[in-house]
Amino acid sequence: MWEHKKVAAYTGTRNLYPLMIPAVKSLVTNSDVDEIWLFIEDDDFLDGYIFPKDLVKIRNVSQQGYFKPDGPNMKSHFTYMAMMRATYAKEFPELDRILSLDVDTIVNDDISELWDLPLKDEYYFAASMEPSTTNRRGYLYTNIGVCLYNLEKLRDGKCDEVIDALNTKKYTFMEQDAFNELCQGKIFDMNPTYNSNVFTKVVDLPKIVHYAGEKKWDGKILVKKYGEQSWKETLKWRERRYRK
């Protein structure tokens, strides 16, 4: 029996570490998430930043063995860290699903229900459609900057297929292209309120704001708001709202 608890994950190279902080705080403030994993390149996070260790956990994946050093996507400016999202079904063998978020996302309203989307054994993942890309390619194309992976279903061989594809074929948007290409017909089109950006659909009151494609997004008001919010305040809000 797979463990169905609310787990989320972020990936990031060292230059993105500081920006994980407002992203994670916004998630803790606005969801009853049970566990958050940071896939990073070191055994420790930044000096001076203290995360609640029972809630936020670190995984050093700098020595990962999934993607060959000379692989076709290893020199992308996205780096192999983005491709690690294709490995979650293997990295978390005890979980049935996981919510993956880009670092340039801010959760600004309660998303606790997001983990309960009806993926069942039908869909490999849930993500929001990119309308212009879908029209251009002729098939459903989604933005996986916010993505609920059905890990249980991905273990039917699709996880290995995506990893193999990333090791043999050059993709412009790496694992996003691979997942969309290989999972056609089994993708749950998620409401864009969970991933509002210029590529999906900008909604008036999004639950998750995604600064995809925007320059200097680290200076946005919401990013500063959660970056300046203390962990004491964050955890106090979480306890008051979710009794956790």
Side-chain angles (χ1 to χ4, degrees):
M1 184 69 180
W2 304 116
E3 187 174 359
H4 180 51
K5 62 180 180 180
K6 296 180 179 179
V7 179
Y10 297 83
T11 65
T13 46
R14 294 182 181 92
N15 63 305
L16 293 177
Y17 290 178
L19 294 167
M20 284 184 169
I21 297 161
V24 170
K25 284 181 179 177
S26 74
L27 177 62
V28 172
T29 301
N30 293 296
S31 78
D32 59 353
V33 62
D34 295 309
E35 195 172 87
I36 301 171
W37 282 92
L38 307 182
F39 275 40
I40 61 173
E41 298 179 307
D42 303 283
D43 291 327
D44 297 309
F45 204 71
L46 294 175
D47 292 339
Y49 288 100
I50 301 175
F51 286 90
K53 294 183 178 180
D54 60 330
L55 178 61
V56 184
K57 303 179 180 182
I58 304 298
R59 187 168 297 192
N60 182 348
V61 293
S62 60
Q63 301 302 313
Q64 61 82 29
Y66 298 104
F67 304 107
K68 300 176 292 185
D70 59 348
N73 297 289
M74 288 297 284
K75 293 184 179 180
S76 168
H77 68 280
F78 294 109
T79 80
Y80 74 89
M81 294 299 291
M83 292 196 292
M84 288 302 297
R85 289 179 283 204
T87 73
Y88 287 157
K90 294 180 176 293
E91 288 287 307
F92 297 98
E94 75 285 4
L95 296 180
D96 63 346
R97 55 182 61 189
I98 193 168
L99 179 64
S100 175
L101 302 108
D102 279 356
V103 177
D104 59 346
T105 58
I106 292 293
V107 181
N108 200 42
D109 199 357
D110 185 27
I111 64 162
S112 300
E113 75 287 349
L114 181 52
W115 280 270
D116 297 319
L117 288 177
L119 302 183
K120 301 180 181 179
D121 61 352
E122 181 178 359
Y123 301 102
Y124 286 113
F125 65 90
S128 300
M129 178 177 67
E130 291 190 5
S132 62
T133 310
T134 294
N135 292 336
R136 186 172 66 252
R137 298 198 180 197
Y139 59 79
L140 177 63
Y141 187 90
T142 60
N143 182 292
I144 64 172
V146 179
C147 184
L148 182 67
Y149 289 107
N150 187 349
L151 302 182
E152 185 174 2
K153 182 166 179 59
L154 284 166
R155 295 188 188 99
D156 69 3
K158 187 61 67 174
C159 174
D160 290 323
E161 187 180 350
V162 173
I163 292 173
D164 288 343
L166 288 167
N167 274 316
T168 57
K169 179 180 177 180
K170 175 67 176 176
Y171 288 100
T172 302
F173 293 103
M174 299 168 66
E175 84 294 348
Q176 178 167 287
D177 283 354
F179 271 111
N180 277 289
E181 178 183 285
L182 298 173
C183 297
Q184 282 302 302
K186 301 292 182 180
I187 302 172
F188 186 96
D189 187 7
M190 188 171 69
N191 192 308
T193 191
Y194 297 115
N195 188 0
S196 179
N197 64 76
V198 296
F199 301 109
T200 57
K201 182 180 180 182
V202 178
V203 299
D204 291 334
L205 297 171
K207 293 191 174 185
I208 300 180
V209 180
H210 187 185
Y211 299 107
E214 296 190 38
K215 295 181 179 180
K216 298 183 179 179
W217 53 269
D218 54 324
K220 298 289 186 179
I221 292 175
L222 286 177
V223 178
K224 289 184 176 181
K225 170 187 173 181
Y226 288 102
E228 294 171 358
Q229 179 176 286
S230 69
W231 269 112
K232 182 178 180 180
E233 182 181 0
T234 300
L235 296 175
K236 185 177 180 180
W237 176 266
R238 171 182 168 86
E239 182 176 359
R240 182 169 63 245
R241 192 174 191 181
Y242 301 111
R243 299 293 185 266
K244 286 191 171 185

